[in-house]
Amino acid sequence: MKLQGNKVFITGAAQGIGKSIALSMANEGADIGIADVNLESAEKTAQEIRGLGVKSIAVRLDVSKQDQVVHAFEVFMKELGAPDVLVNNAGITRDTVLLRMKEDDWDAVLDINLKGSFLCCKEAVKIMAKQRYGKIISISSVVAFMGNAGQINYSASKAGLIGLTKTIAKDYASRGIRANAVAPGFIQTAMTDILSDTVREEMKRAIPLGQFGTPDDVADAVLFLASKASDYITGQVIHVNGGMYM
Ligand code: NAP
């Protein structure tokens, strides 16, 4: 049990990659707080996790709203105790090219993907600094490193997460806090199911391992970063992309 006794706060974990991360951590003995805009589906995931014999709660949270983030951490502290691990997973896309992108679409993606992580880190670090231990893992993307046609807002938000991660790693290492990122490539979830067959085939050709990743591939990397096995690692990025970017 790699995470026995740990308490993990995961955003956007009602479904997709976040749900896989939550399940894999619960299987390693962690108690899990699922914070998601979709409370109904977050509660279903929490119920599934409780079935594994650990504690789990669901909290409705829009990560881009500071008052909701503060409240979600208060609920987590009351129900599960101080978090040892924060996983910034909530993320959205609003794709188009620069000249067609509306300010609202830029703001929505930056607010959820980047500002949301900043707000969650702030609440988590307040608690983790006091207990002199904590792990923050943020889900970035391969596009932070490569760019991607039609994803100017998303690529910028995910690149921003890398700067945020490295800076937290430097600022709070002395308090026992490690901050790392995982940068997935093309992972099969609801987010990528909406892409056309042509785009999917094109992407597959760009992956040396010749196949898309699964949410469990990402969960394995996050589990490593959350566990004691990675205690001497901070400010790093683990790429989970089948070789798409090296
Ligand atoms: P997903 O299936 O769309 O799941 C994202 C979850 O976040 C959903 O439950 C969503 O709820 C929730 N969410 C959306 N806005 C939120 C907000 N403001 N506050 C809290 N929760 C919110 O996406 P995914 O594919 O699992 O992606 C998870 C993370 O991995 C994202 O950060 C994504 O950018 C990143 N990533 C994914 C891929 C990929 O290929 N799938 C690749 C690289 C990186 P609703 O469904 O109700 O909106």
Side-chain angles (χ1 to χ4, degrees), residues 11-207:
T11 66
Q15 64 174 40
I17 293 173
K19 182 177 176 182
S20 285
I21 295 169
L23 285 167
S24 89
M25 288 181 159
N27 271 317
E28 292 294 338
D31 295 333
I32 311 283
I34 306 283
D36 200 290
V37 269
N38 187 336
L39 184 60
E40 202 181 320
S41 117
E43 183 47 56
K44 273 191 200 142
T45 302
Q47 206 175 344
E48 194 176 332
I49 289 171
R50 289 192 290 271
L52 298 171
V54 295
K55 290 186 195 162
S56 186
I57 58 161
V59 192
R60 185 197 301 279
L61 172 64
D62 176 347
V63 290
S64 65
K65 305 281 190 293
Q66 184 164 30
D67 55 338
Q68 292 187 28
V69 173
V70 171
H71 175 72
F73 273 86
E74 282 169 2
V75 172
F76 186 97
M77 286 286 281
K78 191 165 157 254
E79 301 287 328
L80 298 180
D84 305 284
V85 180
L86 162 67
V87 183
N88 289 311
N89 167 78
I92 61 162
T93 52
R94 295 276 188 279
D95 297 349
T96 192
V97 292
L98 170 69
L99 293 182
R100 288 202 184 131
M101 181 149 301
K102 297 193 174 75
E103 190 178 351
D104 282 354
D105 290 332
W106 172 271
D107 288 345
V109 169
L110 269 290
D111 279 358
I112 292 170
N113 297 10
L114 185 55
K115 181 180 151 192
S117 299
F118 153 69
L119 293 173
C120 290
C121 285
K122 202 167 167 185
E123 292 315 302
V125 165
K126 280 182 202 165
I127 304 161
M128 291 171 174
K130 276 192 203 141
Q131 69 191 12
R132 305 249 155 199
Y133 180 80
K135 296 215 161 180
I136 296 174
I137 301 150
S138 298
I139 309 302
S140 177
S141 168
V142 67
V143 305
F145 300 87
M146 297 173 70
N148 199 24
Q151 288 200 308
I152 186 161
N153 49 359
Y154 184 76
S155 306
S157 72
K158 293 297 183 181
L161 269 182
I162 302 300
L164 175 141
T165 295
K166 292 185 177 183
T167 302
I168 291 175
K170 286 193 174 174
D171 282 342
Y172 294 101
S174 61
R175 304 294 182 96
I177 298 171
R178 285 82 167 163
N180 293 289
V182 172
F186 190 108
I187 307 298
Q188 251 176 318
T189 66
M191 186 177 268
T192 47
D193 285 346
I194 52 173
L195 299 173
S196 70
D197 286 348
T198 324
V199 172
R200 295 160 68 81
E201 279 315 305
E202 211 174 283
M203 301 208 66
K204 218 179 245 184
R205 278 196 294 276
I207 302 171

